[in-house]
Amino acid sequence: ALMITDECINCDVCEPECPNGAIYQGDEIYEIDPDKCTECVGHFDEPQCQQVCPVDCIPMNPDVVETKEQLMEKFVRLTSQK
Ligand code: SF4
Ligand code: SF4
């Protein structure tokens, strides 16, 4: 999963780009729900939020490192819930 750092300027452009609805407005900045972030695996070749963030504040979440296979499993789980 990816994460949003405190450099976030609350510009709001990433939230609508997330195909999994993983991005939400937190108490002070935007946040990513790691249970919903597939790093865009299953939807896009590149993480969409990273592509649009004007201040480049969306790195990998070091606490939630996953393989492509795990990310694909998460994608399948999320899409079958809908
Ligand atoms: Fe959403 Fe993709 Fe960003 Fe993860 S990497 S938060 S799935 S847009
Ligand atoms: Fe924050 Fe970047 Fe998202 Fe804008 S695009 S709300 S700066 S994480």
Side-chain angles (χ1 to χ4, degrees), residues 2-76:
L2 305 191
M3 61 175 284
I4 294 173
T5 73
D6 59 12
E7 279 159 68
C8 172
I9 57 171
N10 289 308
C11 73
D12 191 33
V13 303
C14 58
E15 192 269 342
E17 297 300 326
C18 180
N20 295 319
I23 302 175
Y24 61 96
Q25 172 90 71
D27 286 341
E28 299 193 347
I29 53 172
Y30 276 78
E31 297 181 29
I32 292 175
D33 180 349
D35 291 334
K36 291 187 182 169
C37 174
T38 63
E39 299 173 22
C40 284
V41 166
H43 292 282
F44 299 101
D45 290 340
E46 300 285 339
Q48 297 299 291
C49 54
Q50 272 183 342
Q51 301 279 306
V52 298
C53 180
V55 294
D56 255 338
C57 68
I58 315 183
M60 289 288 303
N61 186 335
D63 295 329
V64 192
V65 177
E66 298 142 296
T67 66
K68 273 269 185 291
E69 287 71 29
Q70 287 173 313
L71 292 166
M72 186 53 83
E73 280 170 26
K74 193 190 296 184
F75 163 75
V76 170

